[in-house]
Coordinates of all heavy atoms in Angstrom, one line a residue:
Q164 N -153.6 -65.9 5.9 CA -154.4 -65.0 6.6 C -155.8 -65.1 6.4 O -156.6 -64.5 7.1 CB -154.0 -63.6 6.0 CG -152.5 -63.2 6.0 CD -152.1 -63.1 7.5 OE1 -152.8 -62.8 8.3 NE2 -150.8 -63.5 7.7
L165 N -156.3 -66.0 5.4 CA -157.7 -66.1 5.1 C -158.6 -66.5 6.4 O -159.6 -66.0 6.6 CB -157.9 -67.1 4.1 CG -159.1 -67.1 3.2 CD1 -159.3 -65.7 2.6 CD2 -159.1 -68.1 2.2
R166 N -157.9 -67.3 7.2 CA -158.7 -67.8 8.4 C -157.6 -67.5 9.7 O -156.8 -68.3 9.9 CB -159.0 -69.1 8.4 CG -160.4 -69.6 7.8 CD -160.6 -71.0 8.0 NE -161.8 -71.3 7.0 CZ -163.0 -71.3 7.5 NH1 -163.3 -71.0 8.7 NH2 -164.0 -71.6 6.6
P167 N -157.9 -66.4 10.3 CA -156.8 -66.0 11.4 C -156.8 -67.2 12.4 O -155.7 -67.4 12.9 CB -157.5 -64.8 11.9 CG -158.3 -64.2 10.8 CD -158.8 -65.3 10.0
S168 N -157.9 -67.9 12.5 CA -157.7 -69.0 13.6 C -156.9 -70.1 13.2 O -156.5 -71.0 14.0 CB -159.2 -69.4 14.0 OG -159.8 -69.9 12.9
Q169 N -156.6 -70.2 11.8 CA -155.8 -71.3 11.4 C -154.5 -70.9 10.8 O -153.9 -71.7 10.2 CB -156.7 -72.1 10.3 CG -157.8 -72.7 10.7 CD -158.7 -73.3 9.5 OE1 -158.2 -73.3 8.4 NE2 -159.7 -73.9 9.8
T170 N -154.1 -69.7 11.1 CA -152.9 -69.1 10.7 C -151.6 -70.2 10.8 O -150.9 -70.4 10.1 CB -152.6 -67.8 11.0 OG1 -153.7 -67.0 10.7 CG2 -151.4 -67.1 10.5
G171 N -151.6 -70.5 12.1 CA -150.5 -71.4 12.5 C -150.3 -72.6 11.7 O -149.4 -73.0 11.2
I172 N -151.6 -73.5 11.6 CA -151.6 -74.6 10.9 C -151.2 -74.3 9.4 O -150.5 -75.1 8.8 CB -153.0 -75.3 10.9 CG1 -153.5 -75.4 12.4 CG2 -153.1 -76.6 10.1 CD1 -152.8 -76.6 13.1
R173 N -151.8 -73.4 8.9 CA -151.5 -73.0 7.4 C -150.1 -72.6 7.1 O -149.6 -72.8 6.1 CB -152.5 -71.9 6.9 CG -153.9 -72.5 6.9 CD -155.0 -71.4 6.5 NE -156.3 -72.0 6.4 CZ -157.2 -71.6 5.5 NH1 -156.9 -70.7 4.5 NH2 -158.3 -72.3 5.4
R174 N -149.5 -72.0 8.2 CA -148.2 -71.6 8.0 C -147.3 -73.0 8.0 O -146.2 -72.9 7.2 CB -147.5 -70.7 9.1 CG -147.8 -69.3 8.8 CD -147.3 -68.4 9.9 NE -145.8 -68.3 10.0 CZ -145.1 -67.6 10.9 NH1 -145.8 -67.0 11.9 NH2 -143.9 -67.5 10.9
I175 N -147.6 -73.8 8.8 CA -146.8 -75.1 8.8 C -146.9 -75.8 7.5 O -146.0 -76.3 6.8 CB -147.3 -76.0 10.0 CG1 -147.0 -75.3 11.3 CG2 -146.7 -77.4 9.9 CD1 -147.2 -76.1 12.6
A176 N -148.2 -75.8 7.1 CA -148.4 -76.6 5.8 C -147.8 -75.9 4.7 O -147.1 -76.5 3.8 CB -150.1 -76.5 5.5
S177 N -147.8 -74.5 4.6 CA -147.0 -73.8 3.5 C -145.5 -74.1 3.7 O -144.9 -74.4 2.6 CB -147.3 -72.3 3.6 OG -148.5 -72.1 3.7
T178 N -145.0 -74.1 4.8 CA -143.5 -74.3 5.0 C -143.1 -75.8 4.6 O -142.1 -76.0 3.8 CB -143.1 -74.1 6.5 OG1 -143.7 -72.9 6.8 CG2 -141.6 -74.1 6.7
V179 N -144.1 -76.8 5.0 CA -143.8 -78.2 4.5 C -143.8 -78.3 3.0 O -142.9 -78.9 2.5 CB -144.8 -79.0 5.3 CG1 -144.7 -80.4 4.7 CG2 -144.6 -79.0 6.8
L180 N -144.8 -77.5 2.5 CA -144.9 -77.7 1.0 C -143.6 -77.2 0.4 O -143.0 -77.8 -0.6 CB -146.1 -76.9 0.5 CG -146.3 -76.8 -0.9 CD1 -146.7 -78.1 -1.6 CD2 -147.2 -75.7 -1.5
L181 N -143.3 -76.0 0.9 CA -141.9 -75.4 0.1 C -140.8 -76.2 0.4 O -140.0 -76.3 -0.5 CB -141.8 -74.0 0.7 CG -142.8 -73.0 0.4 CD1 -142.6 -71.6 0.9 CD2 -143.0 -72.9 -1.2
I182 N -140.6 -76.7 1.7 CA -139.4 -77.8 2.0 C -139.5 -78.8 0.9 O -138.5 -79.2 0.3 CB -139.5 -78.3 3.3 CG1 -139.4 -77.2 4.4 CG2 -138.2 -79.2 3.5 CD1 -139.6 -77.7 5.7
A183 N -140.7 -79.5 0.8 CA -140.9 -80.6 0.0 C -140.4 -80.3 -1.5 O -139.7 -81.1 -2.2 CB -142.3 -81.2 0.1
L184 N -140.9 -79.1 -2.0 CA -140.6 -78.8 -3.4 C -139.1 -78.5 -3.5 O -138.6 -79.0 -4.6 CB -141.3 -77.5 -3.7 CG -142.9 -77.7 -3.9 CD1 -143.5 -76.3 -4.3 CD2 -143.1 -78.7 -5.0
M185 N -138.5 -78.0 -2.5 CA -137.1 -77.7 -2.6 C -136.3 -79.0 -2.6 O -135.4 -79.1 -3.5 CB -136.6 -76.8 -1.4 CG -135.3 -76.1 -1.5 SD -135.3 -74.7 -0.4 CE -135.1 -75.5 1.1
I186 N -136.6 -80.0 -1.8 CA -135.9 -81.2 -1.7 C -136.1 -81.8 -3.0 O -135.2 -82.5 -3.6 CB -136.4 -82.0 -0.5 CG1 -136.0 -81.4 0.8 CG2 -135.9 -83.5 -0.6 CD1 -136.5 -82.0 2.0
H187 N -137.3 -82.0 -3.6 CA -137.5 -82.6 -4.8 C -136.8 -82.0 -5.9 O -136.0 -82.6 -6.6 CB -139.1 -82.4 -5.1 CG -139.5 -82.6 -6.6 ND1 -139.5 -84.0 -6.9 CD2 -139.7 -81.8 -7.6 CE1 -139.9 -84.0 -8.2 NE2 -140.0 -82.7 -8.8
A188 N -136.6 -80.6 -6.0 CA -135.9 -80.0 -7.0 C -134.3 -80.3 -6.9 O -133.7 -80.7 -7.8 CB -136.1 -78.5 -7.1
V189 N -133.8 -80.2 -5.7 CA -132.3 -80.4 -5.4 C -132.0 -81.9 -5.8 O -131.0 -82.2 -6.5 CB -132.1 -80.2 -3.9 CG1 -130.7 -80.7 -3.6 CG2 -132.2 -78.7 -3.6
G190 N -133.0 -82.8 -5.5 CA -132.7 -84.3 -5.8 C -132.7 -84.5 -7.2 O -131.9 -85.1 -7.8
C191 N -133.7 -83.9 -8.0 CA -133.8 -84.1 -9.4 C -132.5 -83.5 -10.1 O -131.9 -84.2 -10.9 CB -135.0 -83.3 -10.0 SG -136.6 -84.1 -9.5
W192 N -132.0 -82.4 -9.7 CA -130.8 -81.8 -10.2 C -129.7 -82.6 -9.9 O -128.6 -82.6 -10.7 CB -130.8 -80.3 -10.0 CG -131.8 -79.6 -10.9 CD1 -131.9 -79.8 -12.2 CD2 -132.6 -78.6 -10.5 NE1 -132.9 -78.9 -12.7 CE2 -133.4 -78.1 -11.6 CE3 -132.9 -78.0 -9.2 CZ2 -134.5 -77.2 -11.6 CZ3 -134.0 -77.0 -9.2 CH2 -134.7 -76.6 -10.4
Q193 N -129.7 -83.2 -8.7 CA -128.5 -84.1 -8.4 C -128.3 -85.1 -9.6 O -127.2 -85.4 -9.9 CB -128.8 -84.7 -7.0 CG -127.5 -85.3 -6.5 CD -127.5 -86.8 -6.6 OE1 -128.4 -87.5 -7.2 NE2 -126.5 -87.5 -6.1
I194 N -129.4 -85.8 -10.0 CA -129.3 -86.8 -11.0 C -128.8 -86.2 -12.3 O -127.9 -86.6 -13.0 CB -130.6 -87.4 -11.3 CG1 -131.1 -88.2 -10.1 CG2 -130.6 -88.3 -12.6 CD1 -132.4 -88.9 -10.2
A195 N -129.2 -84.8 -12.5 CA -128.7 -84.2 -13.7 C -127.2 -83.8 -13.7 O -126.5 -83.8 -14.7 CB -129.5 -82.9 -14.1
V196 N -126.8 -83.4 -12.5 CA -125.4 -82.9 -12.4 C -124.4 -84.0 -12.1 O -123.3 -84.0 -12.7 CB -125.5 -81.9 -11.3 CG1 -124.0 -81.5 -10.8 CG2 -126.2 -80.6 -11.5
F197 N -124.7 -85.0 -11.3 CA -123.8 -86.0 -10.9 C -123.6 -87.0 -12.1 O -124.5 -87.2 -13.0 CB -124.3 -86.8 -9.7 CG -123.9 -86.2 -8.4 CD1 -123.9 -84.7 -8.3 CD2 -123.6 -87.0 -7.3 CE1 -123.6 -84.3 -7.1 CE2 -123.2 -86.5 -6.1 CZ -123.2 -85.1 -6.0
D198 N -122.4 -87.6 -12.2 CA -122.2 -88.6 -13.2 C -123.1 -89.8 -13.2 O -123.6 -90.0 -11.9 CB -120.7 -89.0 -13.0 CG -119.9 -88.4 -14.2 OD1 -120.5 -87.7 -15.0 OD2 -118.6 -88.6 -14.2
Q199 N -123.3 -90.3 -14.1 CA -124.5 -91.4 -14.2 C -123.8 -92.8 -13.8 O -124.0 -93.8 -14.4 CB -125.0 -91.5 -15.5 CG -125.6 -90.2 -15.9 CD -126.6 -89.6 -14.9 OE1 -127.7 -90.2 -14.5 NE2 -126.3 -88.4 -14.4
E200 N -123.3 -92.8 -12.5 CA -122.6 -94.1 -12.1 C -123.7 -95.2 -11.8 O -123.5 -96.3 -11.8 CB -121.7 -94.0 -10.9 CG -122.5 -93.5 -9.7 CD -121.5 -92.4 -9.0 OE1 -120.9 -91.5 -9.6 OE2 -121.5 -92.5 -7.7
R201 N -125.0 -94.6 -11.5 CA -126.0 -95.7 -11.2 C -127.0 -95.8 -12.4 O -128.1 -96.1 -12.1 CB -126.8 -95.1 -9.8 CG -126.0 -95.2 -8.6 CD -126.9 -94.8 -7.4 NE -126.2 -95.1 -6.2 CZ -125.3 -94.2 -5.8 NH1 -125.0 -93.1 -6.4 NH2 -124.5 -94.5 -4.7
A202 N -126.4 -95.7 -13.5 CA -127.4 -95.5 -14.7 C -128.1 -96.8 -14.9 O -129.2 -96.8 -15.5 CB -126.6 -95.4 -16.0
G203 N -127.7 -97.9 -14.3 CA -128.4 -99.2 -14.5 C -129.7 -99.4 -13.6 O -130.5 -100.1 -13.9
H204 N -129.7 -98.4 -12.6 CA -131.0 -98.6 -11.7 C -132.1 -98.0 -12.3 O -132.2 -97.2 -13.3 CB -130.6 -97.7 -10.4 CG -129.5 -98.3 -9.7 ND1 -129.0 -97.7 -8.4 CD2 -128.9 -99.6 -9.7 CE1 -128.1 -98.4 -8.0 NE2 -128.0 -99.6 -8.7
S205 N -133.4 -98.4 -11.8 CA -134.7 -97.9 -12.3 C -134.8 -96.5 -12.0 O -134.0 -96.0 -11.1 CB -135.8 -98.6 -11.8 OG -136.0 -98.2 -10.4
V206 N -135.6 -95.8 -12.7 CA -135.8 -94.3 -12.6 C -136.3 -94.0 -11.1 O -135.8 -93.1 -10.5 CB -136.7 -93.7 -13.6 CG1 -137.0 -92.2 -13.4 CG2 -136.2 -93.8 -15.1
A207 N -137.3 -94.8 -10.7 CA -137.9 -94.6 -9.3 C -136.7 -94.7 -8.3 O -136.7 -93.9 -7.4 CB -139.0 -95.5 -9.2
L208 N -135.9 -95.8 -8.4 CA -134.9 -96.0 -7.4 C -133.8 -94.8 -7.5 O -133.5 -94.2 -6.4 CB -134.1 -97.3 -7.6 CG -133.0 -97.5 -6.7 CD1 -133.5 -97.6 -5.3 CD2 -132.4 -99.0 -7.0
R209 N -133.5 -94.4 -8.6 CA -132.6 -93.3 -8.7 C -133.1 -91.9 -8.2 O -132.5 -91.2 -7.6 CB -132.2 -93.0 -10.3 CG -131.3 -94.1 -10.7 CD -131.0 -94.0 -12.2 NE -130.2 -92.8 -12.5 CZ -129.9 -92.4 -13.7 NH1 -130.3 -93.1 -14.7 NH2 -129.1 -91.4 -13.9
Y210 N -134.5 -91.8 -8.4 CA -135.2 -90.6 -7.7 C -135.1 -90.7 -6.2 O -134.7 -89.7 -5.6 CB -136.6 -90.5 -8.2 CG -137.3 -89.4 -7.5 CD1 -137.1 -88.1 -7.9 CD2 -138.3 -89.7 -6.5 CE1 -137.8 -87.0 -7.4 CE2 -139.0 -88.6 -5.9 CZ -138.8 -87.3 -6.2 OH -139.4 -86.3 -5.7
V211 N -135.4 -91.9 -5.6 CA -135.3 -92.0 -4.2 C -133.9 -91.8 -3.7 O -133.7 -91.0 -2.7 CB -135.9 -93.3 -3.7 CG1 -135.8 -93.4 -2.2 CG2 -137.4 -93.5 -4.2
Q212 N -133.0 -92.4 -4.5 CA -131.6 -92.2 -4.0 C -131.3 -90.6 -4.0 O -130.6 -90.0 -3.2 CB -130.7 -92.9 -4.9 CG -130.7 -94.4 -4.7 CD -130.0 -95.2 -5.8 OE1 -129.7 -94.6 -7.0 NE2 -129.7 -96.4 -5.7
A213 N -131.6 -90.0 -5.0 CA -131.2 -88.6 -5.2 C -132.0 -87.7 -4.1 O -131.4 -86.8 -3.5 CB -131.7 -88.0 -6.6
V214 N -133.2 -88.0 -3.7 CA -133.9 -87.3 -2.7 C -133.3 -87.6 -1.3 O -133.0 -86.7 -0.5 CB -135.5 -87.6 -2.7 CG1 -136.0 -87.2 -1.3 CG2 -136.1 -87.1 -3.9
Y215 N -132.8 -88.8 -1.2 CA -132.0 -89.2 0.0 C -130.7 -88.4 0.1 O -130.5 -87.8 1.2 CB -131.7 -90.8 -0.1 CG -130.7 -91.1 0.9 CD1 -130.9 -91.3 2.3 CD2 -129.3 -91.3 0.6 CE1 -129.9 -91.7 3.1 CE2 -128.3 -91.7 1.3 CZ -128.6 -91.9 2.7 OH -127.6 -92.3 3.5
W216 N -130.1 -88.1 -1.0 CA -128.9 -87.4 -1.0 C -129.2 -85.9 -0.6 O -128.6 -85.3 0.2 CB -128.2 -87.5 -2.4 CG -127.0 -86.5 -2.6 CD1 -125.7 -86.8 -2.2 CD2 -127.1 -85.2 -3.1 NE1 -124.9 -85.7 -2.5 CE2 -125.7 -84.7 -2.9 CE3 -128.1 -84.3 -3.5 CZ2 -125.3 -83.4 -3.3 CZ3 -127.7 -83.1 -3.9 CH2 -126.3 -82.5 -3.8
A217 N -130.4 -85.4 -1.2 CA -130.7 -84.0 -1.0 C -131.1 -83.8 0.4 O -130.5 -82.7 1.0 CB -131.9 -83.7 -1.9
V218 N -131.8 -84.7 1.0 CA -132.1 -84.5 2.5 C -130.8 -84.6 3.3 O -130.6 -83.8 4.2 CB -133.1 -85.6 3.0 CG1 -133.4 -85.5 4.5 CG2 -134.5 -85.4 2.3
A219 N -130.0 -85.7 3.0 CA -128.7 -85.7 3.8 C -127.8 -84.4 3.7 O -127.2 -83.9 4.6 CB -128.0 -87.0 3.4
T220 N -127.7 -84.0 2.5 CA -126.9 -82.8 2.2 C -127.4 -81.5 2.8 O -126.7 -80.7 3.5 CB -126.5 -82.7 0.7 OG1 -126.2 -84.0 0.2 CG2 -125.5 -81.7 0.4
M221 N -128.7 -81.4 2.6 CA -129.3 -80.1 2.9 C -129.5 -80.1 4.5 O -129.4 -78.9 5.0 CB -130.8 -79.9 2.4 CG -130.6 -79.7 0.8 SD -132.2 -79.4 0.2 CE -132.4 -77.7 0.6
T222 N -129.6 -81.1 5.1 CA -129.7 -81.0 6.6 C -128.3 -81.0 7.1 O -128.1 -81.1 8.4 CB -130.6 -82.2 7.1 OG1 -130.0 -83.5 6.6 CG2 -132.0 -82.1 6.9
T223 N -127.2 -81.0 6.3 CA -125.9 -81.2 6.6 C -125.5 -82.3 7.5 O -124.4 -82.4 8.2 CB -125.4 -79.9 7.3 OG1 -125.9 -79.8 8.6 CG2 -125.4 -78.6 6.5
I224 N -126.3 -83.4 7.3 CA -126.1 -84.7 7.9 C -124.9 -85.4 7.1 O -123.8 -85.8 7.7 CB -127.2 -85.7 8.0 CG1 -128.3 -85.0 9.0 CG2 -126.8 -87.0 8.5 CD1 -129.6 -85.6 9.0
G225 N -125.1 -85.5 5.9 CA -124.1 -86.0 4.9 C -123.4 -87.3 5.4 O -122.3 -87.2 6.0
Y226 N -124.0 -88.4 5.3 CA -123.4 -89.6 5.8 C -122.2 -90.1 5.0 O -121.4 -90.9 5.4 CB -124.3 -90.8 5.6 CG -125.5 -90.7 6.7 CD1 -126.8 -90.4 6.2 CD2 -125.3 -90.8 7.9 CE1 -127.8 -90.3 7.1 CE2 -126.2 -90.7 8.9 CZ -127.6 -90.5 8.5 OH -128.5 -90.2 9.5
G227 N -121.9 -89.5 3.9 CA -120.8 -89.8 3.0 C -120.9 -91.1 2.1 O -119.9 -91.5 1.5
D228 N -122.2 -91.6 2.1 CA -122.3 -92.8 1.3 C -122.7 -92.4 -0.2 O -122.4 -93.2 -1.1 CB -123.4 -93.7 1.8 CG -124.7 -92.9 2.3 OD1 -124.7 -91.7 2.1 OD2 -125.7 -93.5 2.7
V229 N -123.2 -91.2 -0.5 CA -123.4 -90.7 -1.8 C -122.6 -89.4 -1.8 O -122.8 -88.4 -1.2 CB -124.8 -90.5 -2.2 CG1 -125.0 -89.9 -3.6 CG2 -125.7 -91.6 -1.7
T230 N -121.5 -89.5 -2.5 CA -120.6 -88.3 -2.5 C -120.2 -87.9 -4.0 O -120.4 -88.6 -4.9 CB -119.2 -88.6 -2.0 OG1 -118.7 -89.8 -2.5 CG2 -119.3 -89.0 -0.3
P231 N -119.9 -86.6 -4.1 CA -119.6 -86.1 -5.5 C -118.2 -86.7 -5.9 O -117.4 -87.0 -5.1 CB -119.4 -84.5 -5.3 CG -119.1 -84.4 -3.9 CD -119.7 -85.5 -3.1
D232 N -118.1 -86.8 -7.1 CA -116.7 -87.2 -7.7 C -115.7 -86.2 -7.6 O -115.9 -85.0 -8.1 CB -117.1 -87.7 -9.1 CG -115.7 -88.2 -9.7 OD1 -114.6 -88.1 -9.1 OD2 -115.9 -88.9 -10.9
L233 N -114.7 -86.4 -6.8 CA -113.7 -85.4 -6.5 C -113.0 -84.8 -7.7 O -112.4 -83.7 -7.9 CB -112.6 -85.9 -5.5 CG -113.2 -86.1 -4.1 CD1 -112.1 -86.6 -3.2 CD2 -113.8 -84.8 -3.5
Q234 N -113.2 -85.7 -8.9 CA -112.5 -85.2 -10.1 C -113.4 -84.4 -11.0 O -113.2 -83.8 -12.0 CB -112.1 -86.3 -10.9 CG -111.2 -87.3 -10.2 CD -109.9 -86.8 -9.7 OE1 -109.3 -85.9 -10.3 NE2 -109.7 -87.2 -8.5
Q235 N -114.7 -84.1 -10.4 CA -115.7 -83.4 -11.2 C -116.0 -82.1 -10.5 O -117.0 -82.1 -9.6 CB -117.0 -84.2 -11.3 CG -116.9 -85.5 -12.1 CD -116.6 -85.3 -13.6 OE1 -117.0 -84.2 -14.1 NE2 -115.8 -86.3 -14.3
P236 N -115.4 -81.0 -11.0 CA -115.7 -79.7 -10.4 C -117.2 -79.4 -10.3 O -117.7 -78.9 -9.3 CB -114.9 -78.6 -11.2 CG -114.2 -79.5 -12.2 CD -114.6 -80.9 -12.1
V237 N -118.0 -79.8 -11.2 CA -119.5 -79.3 -11.4 C -120.1 -79.9 -10.2 O -120.9 -79.4 -9.4 CB -120.0 -79.6 -12.6 CG1 -121.6 -79.3 -12.7 CG2 -119.4 -79.0 -13.9
E238 N -119.8 -81.3 -10.0 CA -120.5 -82.0 -9.0 C -120.0 -81.4 -7.5 O -120.9 -81.2 -6.7 CB -120.1 -83.5 -8.9 CG -120.6 -84.2 -10.1 CD -120.3 -85.7 -10.0 OE1 -120.2 -86.2 -8.9 OE2 -120.3 -86.4 -11.1
L239 N -118.7 -81.1 -7.4 CA -118.3 -80.6 -6.1 C -118.9 -79.1 -5.8 O -119.5 -78.9 -4.8 CB -116.8 -80.4 -6.1 CG -116.0 -81.6 -6.1 CD1 -114.6 -81.4 -6.5 CD2 -116.0 -82.2 -4.7
V240 N -119.1 -78.4 -6.9 CA -119.6 -77.0 -6.7 C -121.1 -77.2 -6.4 O -121.7 -76.6 -5.5 CB -119.4 -76.1 -8.0 CG1 -120.3 -74.9 -7.9 CG2 -117.9 -75.9 -8.2
Y241 N -121.9 -78.1 -7.1 CA -123.3 -78.2 -6.8 C -123.5 -78.7 -5.4 O -124.3 -78.2 -4.6 CB -123.8 -79.3 -7.8 CG -125.4 -79.5 -7.6 CD1 -126.2 -78.5 -7.9 CD2 -125.7 -80.7 -7.1 CE1 -127.6 -78.7 -7.7 CE2 -127.2 -81.0 -7.0 CZ -128.0 -80.0 -7.3 OH -129.5 -80.1 -7.1
T242 N -122.5 -79.7 -4.9 CA -122.8 -80.2 -3.5 C -122.5 -79.1 -2.5 O -123.4 -78.9 -1.6 CB -121.8 -81.3 -3.3 OG1 -121.9 -82.3 -4.3 CG2 -121.9 -82.0 -2.0
M243 N -121.6 -78.3 -2.8 CA -121.1 -77.1 -1.9 C -122.4 -76.2 -1.8 O -122.8 -75.7 -0.7 CB -120.0 -76.4 -2.1 CG -118.6 -77.2 -1.9 SD -117.2 -76.3 -2.1 CE -117.2 -76.0 -3.8
F244 N -122.9 -75.8 -3.0 CA -123.9 -74.9 -3.1 C -125.1 -75.4 -2.3 O -125.8 -74.7 -1.5 CB -124.3 -74.7 -4.5 CG -125.5 -73.8 -4.8 CD1 -125.4 -72.3 -4.5 CD2 -126.7 -74.3 -5.1 CE1 -126.5 -71.6 -4.6 CE2 -127.8 -73.5 -5.3 CZ -127.8 -72.2 -5.1
I245 N -125.5 -76.6 -2.5 CA -126.7 -77.3 -1.7 C -126.4 -77.3 -0.2 O -127.4 -77.1 0.5 CB -126.9 -78.7 -2.3 CG1 -127.4 -78.6 -3.8 CG2 -128.0 -79.3 -1.5 CD1 -128.5 -77.5 -4.1
M246 N -125.2 -77.5 0.1 CA -124.8 -77.6 1.6 C -125.1 -76.2 2.1 O -125.7 -76.1 3.2 CB -123.4 -78.0 1.8 CG -123.1 -79.4 1.7 SD -121.2 -79.6 1.8 CE -121.2 -81.3 1.9
V247 N -124.6 -75.2 1.5 CA -124.8 -73.8 2.1 C -126.3 -73.4 2.1 O -126.8 -72.8 2.9 CB -123.9 -72.8 1.2 CG1 -124.3 -71.3 1.7 CG2 -122.6 -73.1 1.3
L248 N -126.9 -73.8 1.0 CA -128.3 -73.4 0.7 C -129.1 -74.2 1.9 O -130.0 -73.7 2.5 CB -128.8 -73.9 -0.6 CG -130.3 -73.7 -0.9 CD1 -130.6 -72.3 -1.3 CD2 -130.9 -74.7 -1.9
G249 N -128.7 -75.5 2.1 CA -129.4 -76.2 3.0 C -129.3 -75.7 4.5 O -130.3 -75.7 5.3
A250 N -128.1 -75.3 4.8 CA -127.8 -74.8 6.1 C -128.6 -73.5 6.3 O -129.3 -73.4 7.4 CB -126.3 -74.6 6.3
A251 N -128.6 -72.6 5.3 CA -129.4 -71.4 5.5 C -130.9 -71.7 5.5 O -131.6 -71.2 6.4 CB -129.1 -70.4 4.3

Side-chain angles (χ1 to χ4, degrees):
Q164 304 294 329
L165 201 58
R166 270 179 194 274
S168 60
Q169 294 177 358
T170 303
I172 303 283
R173 290 180 177 213
R174 268 181 78 182
I175 293 182
S177 307
T178 312
V179 168
L180 173 74
L181 292 175
I182 301 175
L184 290 179
M185 197 159 74
I186 289 175
H187 166 75
V189 169
C191 288
W192 284 311
Q193 190 257 6
I194 293 184
V196 170
F197 273 37
D198 257 357
Q199 303 306 301
E200 62 218 40
R201 292 186 172 79
H204 294 171
S205 73
V206 176
L208 179 58
R209 286 176 69 188
Y210 174 75
V211 178
Q212 286 169 344
V214 167
Y215 164 80
W216 175 87
V218 173
T220 310
M221 291 186 77
T222 51
T223 63
I224 294 171
Y226 291 113
D228 46 359
V229 184
T230 50
D232 185 341
L233 292 178
Q234 310 305 320
Q235 297 291 337
V237 180
E238 289 186 27
L239 289 167
V240 170
Y241 182 66
T242 307
M243 283 190 294
F244 174 71
I245 297 304
M246 281 173 171
V247 174
L248 178 82

